[in-house]
Amino acid sequence: MVRIRRISIDDPLYAQECALREDVLLSGVGWTMDDYRREMPGREERGEHFVAVVNHPSGPRVVACACLIPPDEDETPRAGKVTQVCVDRQRQGEGIGRQVITTIEARAFGELGLEQLYCHAQSDALAFYERLGWRVTSDEFIEAGIPHRRMTLFEPTAGLRPEA
Ligand SMILES: CC(C)(COP(=O)(O)OP(=O)(O)OC[C@H]1O[C@@H](n2cnc3c(N)ncnc32)[C@H](O)[C@@H]1OP(=O)(O)O)[C@@H](O)C(=O)NCCC(=O)NCCS
């Protein structure tokens, strides 16, 4: 069974989150977590970290993760940024990425009261977000040497709306 947990960077699972990000996302652009921290100062501390965890005989194992960066206090619209979305290569295509993103959506539109979510999606992953109701909201641009598009979720999906 996969459980989605929100963790702090003091949590023992944070090291596994970092290892997964290095393996699935950062190695592709030649970065380590140290490079990421240097290029994105303060972001690790400011973001909310979500991990998908499975039980393993050796202890809990992180198989997916993503971060939610809340907007600044005075920012309008109140849009949160979703970053560092990745699933263990062996566990992709099982619905785990969907579980992580919908958990973030519930947190963002629920407890945090945000109005929108957005991300810079690698062009290869556009269809994943589109399946979850996100919309392309920019032309293609290059980030870390890879084509991306901004994608936005303007309202919670039906299952997350309070009246649903
Ligand atoms: C992209 C990624 C996060 C998706 O997570 P996942 O757990 O594999 O995806 P899910 O199984 O939850 O898929 C949910 C839906 O999206 C679809 N989907 C997932 N990845 C897709 C892709 N790359 N292209 C097209 N459709 C995709 C699935 O078929 C599924 O469709 P359904 O609604 O018909 O069931 C994961 O594959 C991954 O880590 N990829 C490598 C890193 C990456 O690209 N991260 C995103 C950076 S922006």
Side-chain angles (χ1 to χ4, degrees):
M1 194 183 85
V2 177
R3 281 181 308 125
I4 312 300
R5 287 189 45 198
R6 179 158 54 91
I7 61 167
S8 75
I9 58 175
D10 298 323
D11 193 292
L13 294 178
Y14 177 65
Q16 286 194 47
E17 177 198 323
C18 292
L20 184 66
R21 288 161 62 184
E22 284 190 335
D23 177 31
V24 180
L25 285 177
L26 300 177
S27 63
V29 294
W31 279 14
T32 63
M33 277 301 298
D34 285 343
D35 296 322
Y36 183 88
R37 290 190 187 96
R38 196 166 42 246
E39 294 294 325
M40 312 283 177
R43 187 175 269 194
E44 284 300 284
E45 293 74 17
R46 184 156 164 252
E48 295 193 349
H49 297 253
F50 293 81
V51 290
V53 183
V54 295
N55 289 325
H56 188 268
S58 61
R61 181 171 288 181
V62 171
V63 294
C65 63
C67 297
L68 169 61
I69 317 296
D72 292 330
E73 278 299 315
D74 54 353
E75 203 175 311
T76 53
R78 299 217 8 99
K81 182 174 187 182
V82 177
T83 67
Q84 297 289 290
V85 180
C86 61
V87 178
D88 186 320
R89 296 173 198 279
Q90 312 298 321
R91 303 296 304 258
Q92 292 176 7
E94 295 181 24
I96 300 173
R98 178 200 300 275
Q99 269 183 264
V100 173
I101 297 297
T102 54
T103 300
I104 289 180
E105 291 173 9
R107 167 81 177 151
F109 289 107
E111 291 154 324
L112 298 181
L114 303 187
E115 297 166 294
Q116 293 179 12
L117 283 173
Y118 73 98
C119 71
H120 293 177
Q122 295 181 15
S123 294
D124 287 349
L126 296 185
F128 165 66
Y129 292 99
E130 281 173 339
R131 297 291 297 165
L132 302 183
W134 295 55
R135 295 289 164 251
V136 171
T137 47
S138 81
D139 291 334
E140 191 170 274
F141 58 91
I142 302 295
E143 196 171 80
I146 298 174
H148 286 77
R149 285 176 195 256
R150 182 177 170 118
M151 297 197 74
T152 306
L153 185 68
F154 291 100
E155 56 180 25
T157 44
L160 299 174
R161 286 189 202 118
E163 70 271 21

